[in-house]
Structures are given as C-alpha cells and as structure tokens.
Amino acid sequence: MKDFNAANEIQDLQYFGEFGGVNPSISDSSTYTFLSAKTMFDTFEGNAEGCYLYSRHSSPMNLYLAQALAKLENTEAANVTASGMGAITSVLLQVCKSGDHIISSRTIYGGTYAFLKNFLPPFNIETTFLDINNFEAIESSIQPNTKVIYCESVSNPLLEVADLRKLSEICKKHNLKLIVDNTFSPLSISPTLLGADIVIHSLTKFINGSSDTVGGVYCGTQEFIDDTKNVNTGACMLLGPTMDSMRSSSILKNLRTLHIRMKQHSYNALYLAERFEQDGLKVSYPGLPSHKNHELMKSMMHEEYGFGGLMTLDAGTTEKANELMEMMQQKNLGYLAVSLGFYKTLFSCSGSSTSSEIPEEERITMGISDGLIRFSIGLDHDIERTYQKMKECMQKTGVLNHENVSTY
C-alpha cells in the first residue's frame, strides 16, 4: 500500500483567524456582498475563486473542513453536508439516474438500506443486495445499466470487512463507481488507496467524536465534487443538505484529535473483545483472529490506528440484551444509545434500533440476531476496570455463566 499518513496531512493544514486567531474565523452569514455585479455573475458560474455567494453554495468554514477531510481520505476535494444521509443521498442521486442499477452490500446502515430499498425504486433506480465479498455473485449481477457498487469498509452492524481491492478491480473492469462508506474506520482504512472512487463519512460519529453535532462528507475528484455543487444539475446543491458554519467549526477542531482518539478506541475494543471471547461469549471484532475477515482487514489497514472501536456481542435474546444494557447504564459503564464514536461507550440492540428498517426475515438472513448488541467502545483510561465491571453485569443478567469466566 502507498505510504500515507492522514494524520500528518491534516496536521500540516494551517488556518489563521481573521484577527490572527489560532482557529479560523466563523463567517456568520448566509449571504455575501460583491463590489461589482460582474463578480456576482462569475461566482454563479463557478469562476470566481475565493468569492462566496450564498451559504448553501459554500462558506469559508465549510471549505476549510472539506479541505481537511479531503486530506484525511487522500482525495482531490470533498464537500460537507448536514448529515451522513445527506452525503449518501447526494452522491447516489448524482451518480444514478432513472433506469440505473446499484449493487450494494446487504449489511449496511439501516437508513442507507431503506433509501436504496424503499425510496429509490419509485424513481426507477433498483438495487441488488449481495454478500459484498461474494465476487462471483457480484459479477453475475452486473447489468448494462449498473452504475455503482456500494459498500461500507466495515459494515454496520455485523463488522464485515469489504475487500476493497477486489471490488475496485471489478468496478474498473465494468466501468462502475466504487462508493465506500468509511464511517466505522477513519484513519484505519484509506479506501482511495485501495481503489475506491468516492468515500463517505457520517461526521457525527468518530470524526467529530463528542455526540453534539450531526454532519456528513463525501470525498472524491474535484470534477465530481464540482458536479454535485452545480447550480443547475448538482444533487447536493439542489437537494440542499447544507452544513451550518458553526457545526463545521466544531468538527474541524475535533478532527485535530482524531488520531489520538482512534488509537484509544481501538486499544480498548481489542482488550474487551479478547477477554470476552476467552470468557466464552459470542463476540465479533475484526481484531480477533477468529473474525472471518481478520486477515483481510490486516492487509488493508494502517496498523497504528488499530481495528476500530466497534464490537458486537450476542446476548442470546432481546430481553437479555435489554437487561444487560440497562444494568451497564445504571453502573455508569456507558449509555443505552444509538450512534458511535463518543468518549463514553454506547450500546444498542441493532435489530430494534439502527437496523430496524431492515425486515426481520432479512435481518435473520444477514445474521443480525435478536440479541445482538453493538458496542461503540469509549475512551476509558482503565479498561481492565471497565472489563471487570461489565463482566459483573453479564454474570448478574445470566449472559455470562460464572463457571465459564476466565480469571485475569
């Protein structure tokens, strides 16, 4: 893999505030003035570098954040949106038109699944959902009108890892776009180095890291980003998922510590996953040798950032899962909440939360069991203490049998 350190790329970006501040100034304006009517016309045409017209088109702070995120994903450009779904929908509606076809991983975020399965068909855009690492099935599903292969680098919630190199080969062979949601693995995986054309993030999650902001981004070529912002035909411009400048400022500041946070998230998640597995629990984490895609992820990742902060644990039943999560929240071990990337551990029962848009029979086929708990592991300083307290909760709820517990 090409030598690339996104943290250094971001660190090298330097912005000064209007009065010499160490943070760039926030432009608290929705519209901007011009000294001449000619410059306003040129800006509408996209030919006035450094000029701003209206904040739905662009704003200084949004461009600063987009620059930094393009550096993160090693692309020419990026564009920020008001949510992760704003990024996903803008990209897919830019690439695909009526009559087109999409191939998607079957295990993806529930909102993305609902958009592909329920929202797009009335616009005559159809999707085939497949095991994303079944390359024979993918190739046989490609039609003359197929435009996209869509996947998550590490899937939500099953933590399946997509072979981005192989998918890129298929896309190049058939002239398709490979679009990758990299929300679960920022810094750990760089999809463009593995052949992806467009990379998407929900900035709400690890990149912002404080669960106080909703945002999204898509990263790609300058030409593609410009196309999405075209005043006549740009999906993002016309759908209008504009990020507020105050939110951009907040995310840009938090982005500066992403490299530190991801290392700790990954360290803590691996620690817990190893111990819970040795206790006999049914745990899934890409850092475990028992994970079916462990070697694949090792071959794609930047090792210093680890295998990510997400793990799953099967409590057996929804009732057991709920009992365990409620007890862990009472013991201040985290929050029973959706989302991920927070400094505290977050846990939710995927089948009844973030994957609830997927019909039950399809969840079962995918392997999303009723008792599956998705953990977004926090930044706990003493992870051994956290493990011991979580283990007590699992014993008290019967998720973990006393006689099966290892001693550390």
Side-chain angles (χ1 to χ4, degrees):
M1 183 185 293
K2 174 183 171 185
D3 184 29
F4 172 69
N5 192 319
N8 287 342
E9 294 288 327
I10 295 169
Q11 180 181 304
D12 288 344
L13 283 175
Q14 189 173 38
Y15 304 110
F16 292 102
E18 183 180 0
F19 303 105
V22 295
N23 290 308
S25 302
I26 301 170
S27 175
D28 193 21
S29 295
S30 60
T31 191
Y32 299 83
T33 189
F34 295 87
L35 296 180
S36 74
K38 173 68 166 58
T39 308
M40 179 183 281
F41 172 80
D42 289 341
T43 304
F44 258 111
E45 295 295 305
N47 300 321
E49 184 71 27
C51 292
Y52 300 94
L53 177 72
Y54 183 58
S55 285
R56 180 162 59 84
H57 296 225
S58 65
S59 66
M61 186 56 70
N62 284 9
L63 289 177
Y64 293 149
L65 178 58
Q67 271 188 326
L69 293 166
K71 291 287 188 182
L72 172 71
E73 288 298 356
N74 194 41
T75 59
E76 291 179 348
N79 189 42
V80 295
T81 58
S83 68
M85 284 305 299
I88 291 166
T89 55
S90 294
V91 166
L92 289 174
L93 288 173
Q94 187 68 37
V95 175
C96 299
K97 308 304 178 193
S98 180
D100 287 342
H101 174 246
I102 296 167
I103 291 174
S104 172
S105 170
R106 64 180 184 175
T107 54
I108 52 175
Y109 168 57
T112 310
Y113 178 91
F115 179 72
L116 294 170
K117 182 73 179 287
N118 305 325
F119 189 88
L120 287 183
F123 296 92
N124 197 26
I125 300 173
E126 300 293 336
T127 302
T128 300
F129 296 93
L130 297 168
D131 176 349
I132 202 61
N133 286 330
N134 186 338
F135 309 119
E136 184 177 342
I138 289 172
E139 292 236 36
S140 64
S141 298
I142 294 173
Q143 306 168 15
N145 60 337
T146 305
K147 292 293 188 292
V148 164
I149 293 179
Y150 180 92
C151 68
E152 297 169 347
S153 48
V154 179
S155 75
N156 185 0
L158 293 178
L159 310 182
E160 295 174 343
V161 182
D163 189 337
L164 300 182
R165 290 190 186 94
K166 182 62 178 177
L167 292 173
S168 174
E169 289 175 12
I170 294 172
C171 285
K172 287 177 170 58
K173 176 181 174 182
H174 296 278
N175 194 30
L176 311 177
K177 294 288 187 188
L178 177 57
I179 301 175
V180 179
D181 184 333
N182 200 35
T183 298
F184 275 24
S185 46
L187 292 175
S188 294
I189 295 177
S190 297
T192 58
L193 300 186
L194 303 164
D197 297 291
I198 300 163
V199 182
I200 293 170
H201 283 274
S202 169
L203 301 177
T204 314
K205 314 303 193 302
F206 285 115
I207 287 177
N208 184 56
S210 52
S211 290
D212 59 359
T213 294
V214 174
V217 67
Y218 53 93
C219 310
T221 64
Q222 186 67 61
E223 180 182 13
F224 178 75
I225 301 303
D226 289 345
D227 286 346
T228 64
K229 297 167 71 175
N230 185 287
V231 295
N232 294 306
T233 59
C236 191
M237 178 63 66
L238 298 174
L239 292 170
T242 309
M243 176 173 282
D244 178 76
S245 292
M246 298 290 286
R247 299 295 89 191
S248 294
S249 173
S250 173
I251 295 170
L252 182 59
K253 281 180 273 196
N254 288 348
L255 179 62
R256 304 294 191 177
T257 63
L258 177 64
H259 60 293
I260 300 169
R261 292 184 281 111
M262 286 310 301
K263 291 177 184 179
Q264 191 67 30
H265 283 302
S266 294
Y267 175 84
N268 286 352
L270 179 60
Y271 188 100
L272 292 176
E274 287 178 337
R275 280 149 183 78
F276 288 143
E277 184 176 62
Q278 291 175 35
D279 286 336
L281 290 164
K282 189 176 179 182
V283 180
S284 179
Y285 180 67
L288 295 173
S290 59
H291 190 283
K292 66 180 181 179
N293 302 132
H294 175 68
E295 292 300 326
L296 171 61
M297 186 158 180
K298 278 180 68 176
S299 75
M300 297 196 305
M301 64 188 278
H302 301 293
E303 289 189 19
E304 66 178 305
Y305 300 111
F307 291 88
L310 277 295
M311 60 169 264
T312 66
L313 186 151
D314 196 335
T317 66
T318 303
E319 291 72 26
K320 283 289 183 188
N322 291 342
E323 185 182 1
L324 174 60
M325 291 188 294
E326 289 170 5
M327 183 176 290
M328 288 191 296
Q329 181 167 254
Q330 291 167 5
K331 299 293 185 180
N332 196 29
L333 291 168
Y335 297 114
L336 205 175
V338 298
S339 199
L340 52 118
F342 193 41
Y343 76 93
K344 289 281 284 186
T345 294
L346 304 177
F347 30 81
S348 60
C349 197
S350 295
S352 56
S353 59
T354 55
S355 297
S356 59
E357 296 94 337
I358 303 171
E360 182 180 2
E361 63 275 11
E362 295 185 40
R363 291 201 305 269
I364 293 170
T365 301
M366 293 174 185
I368 303 175
S369 62
D370 289 343
L372 188 75
I373 302 173
R374 188 191 72 183
F375 286 78
S376 170
I377 304 301
L379 301 174
D380 306 39
H381 172 67
D382 188 348
I383 194 63
E384 165 64 19
R385 174 175 175 268
T386 299
Y387 162 68
Q388 294 294 346
K389 293 178 72 175
M390 283 186 171
K391 183 174 70 174
E392 290 175 13
C393 293
M394 292 176 189
Q395 290 172 327
K396 288 178 180 177
T397 56
V399 172
L400 183 59
N401 295 325
H402 291 264
E403 60 268 23
N404 294 334
V405 179
S406 302
T407 303
Y408 292 91

